[in-house]
């Protein structure tokens, strides 16, 4: 707690040349986020209930989720980032309360997203406070996720095949590229417990996905379906993209972010090489618009009349800031591209006005067009990765780590 206070004092001393100085890009976006998320916090606190905002519904009302929704960690995580970015001590008990409101997610074993859920919430909480009560939550989440590891293909099974629309696809062991985002708490659990099993599962998964999930040009498939008996690949499919062989944009961002984390955690060059290759594929894609905010699928048939996906840009920006701090050739170029993404996202075209957009920060994301879910809507994970990227940008520019 004191570390955050000291840090913000330092940032203020470094940044404040005079009281009348206009706010710079990072400060202005922090100010905006504080107002917008502050509005949402007022609504939640006035309700007397635990509300966890995700997106806007067709009638314009905010959709709030329960703990089992894969998106339940992003709003608590955003409050943790807002606490870190502002140093506002009033946010600390709220970040803790909102995280504890979805703590039961640590026990989920019927899908893989427990990693996203618990690491964005309790993972940030532990990073910022060192609260020992959060350790058990992170380790339990890693334990729950580990139950989904399948020895023969050597992979974490993302989805169960007997649930809802998934039961209609004929899959046996579907693994989605998003699963790369769930590995971070496994690495952390090994650090926290000394039990290398979690680390090993993460690495075995990352290696098999590296072999099977990517095309020669560097972009990735969304879903790889494995045979649980032989370990062979049964299908290379999509669920949220336009077509099996098309380029679902958010999947590319998950891959870039996930393999950047794997390189940070292991030092294995093949991981960062893949992250760079996938990023370059997206950057150089002929359909990439001038403002660099991707279409929801870069091969959707009606481009340029297709929806953009700001959540892809936010996740990509955050990953690129981390890449830019690594000991790799031309590292600063990744920051330059991330800065372009941030400028676009913070422009009037994508950033909401204070008090509008259901108090979400960013407009124009896409959940899943094939499922008709959250089409051209705000999404809490776009906001979360935007704040994470903002914090990474701030630290790089202030020379902090
Ligand atoms: N993990 C779900 C998504 O990216 O939409």
């Amino acid at each position: 707690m004191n570390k955050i206070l000291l840090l913000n004092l330092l940032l203020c001393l470094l940044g404040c040349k005079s009281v009348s100085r206009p706010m710079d890009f990072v400060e202005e976006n922090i100010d905006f986020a504080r107002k917008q998320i502050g509005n949402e916090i007022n609504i939640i606190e006035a309700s007397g209930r635990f509300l966890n905002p995700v997106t806007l519904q067709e009638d314009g009302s905010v959709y709030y989720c329960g703990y089992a929704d894969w998106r339940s960690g992003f709003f608590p995580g955003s409050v943790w980032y807002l606490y870190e970015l502002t140093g506002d001590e009033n946010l600390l008990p709220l970040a803790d309360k909102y995280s504890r409101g979805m703590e039961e997610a640590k026990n989920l074993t019927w899908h893989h997203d427990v990693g996203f859920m618990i690491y964005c919430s309790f993972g940030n909480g532990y990073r910022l406070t060192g609260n020992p009560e959060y350790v058990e939550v992170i380790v339990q989440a890693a334990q729950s996720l580990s139950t989904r590891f399948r020895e023969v293909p050597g992979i974490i099974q993302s989805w169960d095949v007997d649930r809802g629309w998934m039961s209609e696809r004929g899959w046996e062991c579907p693994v989605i590229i998003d699963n790369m985002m769930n590995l971070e708490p496994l690495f952390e659990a090994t650090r926290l417990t000394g039990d290398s099993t979690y680390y090993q599962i993460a690495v075995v998964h990352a290696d098999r996905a590296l072999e099977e999930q990517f095309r020669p040009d560097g972009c990735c498939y969304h879903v790889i379906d494995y045979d649980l008996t032989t370990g062979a690949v049964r299908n290379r499919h999509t669920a949220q993209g336009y077509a099996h062989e098309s380029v679902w944009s958010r999947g590319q961002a998950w891959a870039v972010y996930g393999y950047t984390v794997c390189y940070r955690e292991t030092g294995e060059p093949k991981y960062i090489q893949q992250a760079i290759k996938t990023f370059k594929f997206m950057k150089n894609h002929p359909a990439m618009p001038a403002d660099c905010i991707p279409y929801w699928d870069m091969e959707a048939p009606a481009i340029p009349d297709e929806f953009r996906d700001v959540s892809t840009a936010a996740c990509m920006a955050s990953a690129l800031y981390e890449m830019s701090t690594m000991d790799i050739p031309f590292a600063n170029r990744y920051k330059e591209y991330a800065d372009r993404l941030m400028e676009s996202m913070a422009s009037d075209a994508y950033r909401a006005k204070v008090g509008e957009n259901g108090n979400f920060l960013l407009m124009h994301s896409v959940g899943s067009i094939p499922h008709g879910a959250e089409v051209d809507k705000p999404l809490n994970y776009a906001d979360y990765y935007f704040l994470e990227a903002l914090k990474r940008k701030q630290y790089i520019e202030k020379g902090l780590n």
Side-chain angles (χ1 to χ4, degrees):
M1 195 185 319
N2 288 340
K3 205 171 135 202
I4 297 285
L5 275 176
L6 278 171
L7 186 60
N8 278 280
L9 184 63
L10 177 66
L11 288 172
C12 190
L13 288 171
L14 285 168
C16 294
K17 293 196 182 78
S18 82
V19 282
S20 60
R21 184 183 58 83
M23 286 190 278
D24 70 16
F25 178 90
V26 170
E27 290 165 338
E28 196 275 328
N29 277 285
I30 294 172
D31 185 63
F32 164 73
R34 184 203 289 256
K35 289 177 181 143
Q36 197 73 335
I37 294 177
N39 287 339
E40 185 59 26
I41 287 172
N42 289 341
I43 291 169
I44 294 169
E45 293 306 300
S47 77
R49 296 164 53 208
F50 173 72
L51 296 175
N52 194 336
V54 174
T55 186
L56 278 183
Q57 306 184 96
E58 288 308 319
D59 66 2
S61 63
V62 173
Y63 173 74
Y64 297 100
C65 73
Y67 76 87
D69 189 305
W70 80 274
R71 300 161 297 186
S72 67
F74 293 117
F75 181 74
S78 292
V79 179
W80 281 115
Y81 272 121
L82 192 62
Y83 164 62
E84 185 173 18
L85 286 162
T86 61
D88 180 351
E89 289 291 307
N90 295 317
L91 291 168
L92 183 56
L94 294 170
D96 175 77
K97 182 167 86 172
Y98 301 154
S99 297
R100 290 182 193 271
M102 45 76 64
E103 179 176 339
E104 184 53 28
K106 70 186 178 187
N107 295 315
L108 287 176
T109 55
W110 58 269
H111 65 69
H112 65 135
D113 284 321
V114 62
F116 267 116
M117 297 154 89
I118 294 298
Y119 211 63
C120 296
S121 52
F122 287 91
N124 277 310
Y126 184 66
R127 179 177 64 79
L128 291 170
T129 67
N131 186 339
E133 292 174 18
Y134 299 167
V135 171
E136 181 274 327
V137 183
I138 295 167
V139 173
Q140 180 53 50
Q143 183 56 39
S144 298
L145 182 58
S146 300
T147 66
R148 302 189 65 79
F149 183 67
R150 308 293 178 243
E151 292 279 350
V152 174
I155 206 83
I156 297 168
Q157 181 170 345
S158 303
W159 292 331
D160 285 358
V161 292
D162 57 355
R163 287 179 189 270
W165 61 269
M166 290 171 234
S167 60
E168 293 155 22
R169 297 294 171 98
W171 293 326
E172 192 167 312
C173 173
V175 178
I176 59 175
I177 191 65
D178 323 30
N179 210 326
M180 290 303 302
M181 300 294 287
N182 288 316
L183 304 185
E184 212 169 354
L186 296 177
F187 291 117
E188 179 75 345
T190 285
R191 261 193 301 279
L192 292 169
T193 61
D195 180 349
S196 62
T197 312
Y198 306 113
Y199 181 102
Q200 293 305 335
I201 288 174
V203 166
V204 171
H205 178 96
D207 285 349
R208 187 77 206 261
L210 196 64
E211 274 174 35
E212 309 292 0
Q213 205 102 28
F214 292 89
R215 302 174 183 132
D217 58 12
C219 73
C220 63
Y221 288 93
H222 183 199
V223 186
I224 307 292
D225 175 33
Y226 294 89
D227 185 312
L228 285 167
T229 310
T230 67
V233 170
R234 299 176 71 236
N235 297 292
R236 288 186 166 85
H237 280 174
T238 197
Q240 287 165 247
Y242 166 65
H244 294 327
E245 295 296 331
S246 70
V247 179
W248 178 53
S249 291
R250 195 162 54 252
Q252 313 311 311
W254 294 149
V256 172
Y257 191 116
Y259 279 101
T260 301
V261 168
C262 286
Y263 178 63
R264 180 221 300 154
E265 296 290 345
T266 66
E268 268 291 340
K270 64 186 175 187
Y271 295 145
I272 198 67
Q273 284 160 6
Q274 184 62 62
I276 290 170
K277 191 170 176 185
T278 304
F279 161 63
K280 286 188 174 167
F281 173 88
M282 285 296 276
K283 174 174 154 297
N284 298 326
H285 195 286
M288 182 61 79
D291 66 7
C292 304
I293 305 295
Y295 294 100
W296 68 279
D297 187 309
M298 295 304 285
E299 293 177 2
I303 287 174
D305 298 321
E306 294 278 357
F307 292 110
R308 306 295 189 89
D309 179 30
V310 167
S311 75
T312 294
C315 178
M316 190 71 90
S318 187
L320 293 176
Y321 282 127
E322 172 154 32
M323 262 192 207
S324 79
T325 66
M326 292 173 157
D327 186 16
I328 51 176
F330 311 112
N332 195 48
R333 289 190 192 163
Y334 304 113
K335 179 175 185 299
E336 285 166 14
Y337 197 86
D339 285 345
R340 278 168 68 191
L341 292 174
M342 294 298 278
E343 292 284 348
S344 290
M345 285 187 280
S347 73
D348 288 348
Y350 300 103
R351 201 183 81 171
K353 303 238 177 318
V354 172
E356 297 182 4
N357 199 40
N359 298 317
F360 294 97
L361 307 182
L362 301 174
M363 307 180 283
H364 304 310
S365 286
V366 163
S368 178
I369 286 195
H371 298 94
E374 304 108 29
V375 178
D376 195 29
K377 293 282 190 284
L379 283 168
N380 63 0
Y381 43 101
D383 290 2
Y384 172 87
Y385 288 106
F386 179 75
L387 288 175
E388 183 178 79
L390 197 62
K391 179 249 159 177
R392 290 178 171 182
K393 176 175 168 64
Q394 181 192 58
Y395 272 47
I396 293 165
E397 291 175 358
K398 301 289 186 195
L400 302 165
N401 58 35

